[in-house]
Structure formats: C-alpha cells, structure tokens
Amino acid sequence: MNALRRLFAPVLLLALLATLVAAKPWLHGHLEPFVGPMLSGAFDIAVASAAWLVAAWAGAGLIALLAAGKGGLNPDGTPRPPRIPRLLADLLRFFVYGAAVLAILAFVFEQPVTGLLATSGVAIAVLGFALRNMIADIFAGIALNIENPYRLGDWLELSPGVTGRVDEINWRATRLIASDGTAIVVPNGIVAGSRFVNYSRPNPAFRSGVPILLDQEVPVERAKRILLSAMLCADGVLSNPRPDVLVDAVTPNGISYLARFWTDDGARLSQVRDAVLTAALANLGRAGIEPASPKQDIRRRQPVLHDTERLRRGLLRRPEMFDAFDDEEVEALAQAMHRVDIPAGGAAVREGDAGDSLFVIAEGVFDVEVSVSAADGADGGFRTGPMHVTRLRPGDLFGEMSLLTGQPRSASVIACTDAVVFELARSHLDPILRRRPELAEKLAELMAERQTRNAAQRHRQQGAAPPAPVESQALLARLRGFFGL
C-alpha cells in the first residue's frame, strides 16, 4: 500500500507533462509572442526532458513495487524474501534511468547516441580493467541473486570455521553474522567461485556430526549403542530424523566413529556439538570406556571389559536410593544383579504387569509411557493411548516401587535403542533389610519424594494442578508388609 502511494505522485506528474507535450502547438502559439522563440523552445526542451525523467521515476517506482516482499514470516520463522532480489531491482532501475538519459539525448536534443556509446565504450574498458575485481564481485552478486542459492536469514558455511547467518547481500559482498555476534564480510566473487553449505535449505533441519575415536577392543555394536543413546539425550538434537552412528575409519590408534545428528538451529550448532560430546563422554565413562589414545602412549590402560564389578557398583552408587547402604551391602547387591539385554523397541516392563524388581540402565535410552483416557468427541466415549512422561538415560533406574511394595508396574518403559540393564530383585534386597530394618524408613522417604516428583511432572504435562505429596509413612507400611519386617 505504501509503494502504491509513492507511485501516485510520479504518475500524476507524468500525466501532466504528457498533456503539456501533446499541447505543444497550442503553447507555442500563446507563449512565443510574449517570451520569444528562444525561451519557448527552451520550455519545450525542459518539458520533454522532464517527461522522460518522470517516466523513469515512475518505472523505478513500479520496479520497487514489484520487488517489494509480501512481508511477515515464513512458517519456519524466517522473513519472507522479496519477489525480485535487491541487486536485480537496483540494476533494473539503473537501466531505466540510463535509457531515459539516452532518450533525452536522441529525441529531445536530437543528438546521435551511437558515437557517444562508442566513445564511452573505450572509457568503460579502461575503467573496467582497473576495477575488474570489484566488477567481478558485482556481477557475481547479480548471478547469486538471480540463482538465489541463499537468502537473508539462511545459515551458511563458506569454509571450515567460517559459518554465519546471512545478514545482507549488497552489490559487492555478502555479510554474515557469526554465532558469536561478529560480522564476516565475504566478496561475492569468492562466494560464487567456491563451494559453500547452506544449512537452511531445502529445510531448516540439517545434519552435522562429531568424530569419536575408541579402542579396537570395544565391540562395535556396543560403541554404537552408547554413542546413540548419548545423542538421543543431548539438548538440541532432533529425535526425527533419528541420529545414527557410523564406523568412519579404522586407524592404528583405534576405530573412528562418526556420531551424526540433526538440528534446526544454526546459531546453536556449537552448543549442540558440545552437548553431544559431553553426553558421549559421560556415557562412555559410566561404561568404563575411555577415548582411544595414541599407541605410542605407554601408560597402563585399564582393560576394557563388557561387564565388570566396578561398573555394577558404579551403577548402584549413582541413584540416591542406595545412599544409606554401606560399601559391603552395595557390593553384595552388585554381585546379585543380573544383566538383561533389551532390543530397540522392546519393553523392559509393561504398565499393569506384576513385578518385584527394579532395573538400572547401563547402556541405552528408554522412554517412560503411561496410558491416559480422554473424551472422544465423535461418539462421547473414551479413547486410551500412551503418553510420554520422561526419557531415561544410563545411570537412571526404574521399577523401584514394584521392588519395595510389590505393586504392579505403574508405567511402560520402552527401549529407544538396543539397551543393557541390570535387574535387582526382591530376593536380593530381602537379606539386607532383615539385617538392617532401619533402612526401610530411609527407602520409604526417598521413594515418597521420587513419586511426588514424577506425579507433579505428569500433571504438568496434562495441564492439571499439582497433586498432594506422597506420604512416606504409607509407603513404609506397605514396604514392611511386603518384606514381612
């Protein structure tokens, strides 16, 4: 609407000047007796020249109207691009005014323009040789705007370490804003003549990866399972498309894995890489695995074992549930636990099933789901379906209420990846509680706090008010009854 208002003035003025040009005989007849033939001819020249210039003004306004964007944002949050790229619109306006000047010379002053063009061609050639690099950048910018390989707001990687969001595309250069806020100005000729990566096209989600080198003694499937579970828990990594792990190379120092993930925010790519590597190192550390080091390093390394006593003890020491147990008791429980392998998509436990054991996650990632009922508007009945509650990662435990009270499983726990868990049964815990009954009170308090947190999280997801806290005394009574204390 504003562009149409700006176009109104030149069109109105052009109509007035066109009327004066059309009425030139009548004007000559009335002006020449008063001002003389010289001033009357000068007036004709001024009116005709002004008409051509105003026509060029109107043409430039029309180009601006066609080039104006629709305004607003695209569905992905990026600003909508203009209909005609800015550089192309500037070039069209330049030609419109240039054509108006030539028309004035040819039709108003009746001067031959072919000689002028030939003479100016020599000057242009000399000037072009002196400014060849700048001219190359200008024409590269025009080509980039016509092909439109990137737009304002896109994230580009021009070379390793040179990444930023496109902030401006002008006649000579493209300006990027890096994730640290600094501006990177790159001549258009360099951009057009080199390979670059557009992370924002064809869609905002793009894939990146981090290399991780592990010893050859680590089984490949186990390494992939640990690294995949780390990416699924890292902040900023999209769950769909699903991340994956590839064997990138086999080197004298170990096996190089490429942990590939998808993200949709180029501004946070460094933070997402950091989250992936941090989670990977944490998962490897819990599994007793260290990144590979050069073989020239002669320091003694701990042997990489698939199932060690230290790993079992570490898994039991991580949850707060076993804080009240002494080292001897933790050692006894670690020895009693047995390993369970669960394939991706398999259920460790199902909601409603009977059980008297808990599980500690050694490797892999699990989703916790509960069944919910909701009114069905079609027939007034009810429909049921799973609701995602939380995601569990290595070191977390689940099933503790069934272990301590014998109640049915309150949720389904589904493996997102191939996983390894260790199961601790009631028969393993019973001798310790009989020997130290005071542990039951501590366990009841911890379980009451845990149940209160889980219930509050579930109610937040459903948009309901927070529930009342779980009473530890009620849990303690059930625990003592279940174990016969």
Side-chain angles (χ1 to χ4, degrees), residues 255-268:
I255 300 177
S256 176
Y257 296 89
L258 183 62
R260 304 190 304 177
F261 58 89
W262 292 79
T263 185
D264 58 1
D265 189 355
R268 297 186 62 246

Side-chain angles (χ1 to χ4, degrees), residues 6-148:
R6 289 196 297 269
L7 198 59
F8 178 75
V11 170
L12 182 62
L13 185 57
L14 179 61
L16 176 60
L17 291 173
T19 302
L20 292 177
V21 171
K24 182 166 42 173
W26 183 84
L27 289 174
H28 267 295
H30 290 78
L31 288 178
E32 192 170 343
F34 295 100
V35 300
M38 182 177 295
L39 290 179
S40 178
F43 178 76
D44 291 343
I45 293 174
V47 170
S49 300
W52 282 107
L53 292 176
V54 171
W57 180 22
L62 181 61
I63 293 172
L65 178 62
L66 295 175
K70 300 177 182 178
L73 300 175
N74 289 317
D76 59 3
T78 59
R80 290 177 179 169
R83 296 187 183 95
I84 300 177
R86 173 186 166 188
L87 293 187
L88 183 58
D90 290 344
L91 188 62
L92 290 175
R93 284 192 287 266
F94 172 79
F95 279 117
V96 166
Y97 281 108
V101 172
L102 292 177
I104 291 172
L105 292 175
F107 300 111
V108 177
F109 292 97
E110 299 180 351
Q111 298 294 321
V113 296
T114 54
L116 177 62
L117 292 176
T119 304
S120 60
V122 177
I124 291 174
V126 174
L127 186 62
F129 182 78
L131 302 176
R132 60 188 182 277
N133 291 333
M134 184 176 294
I135 293 173
D137 291 337
I138 291 173
F139 279 96
I142 296 172
L144 289 172
N145 275 265
I146 294 175
E147 295 177 6
N148 204 22

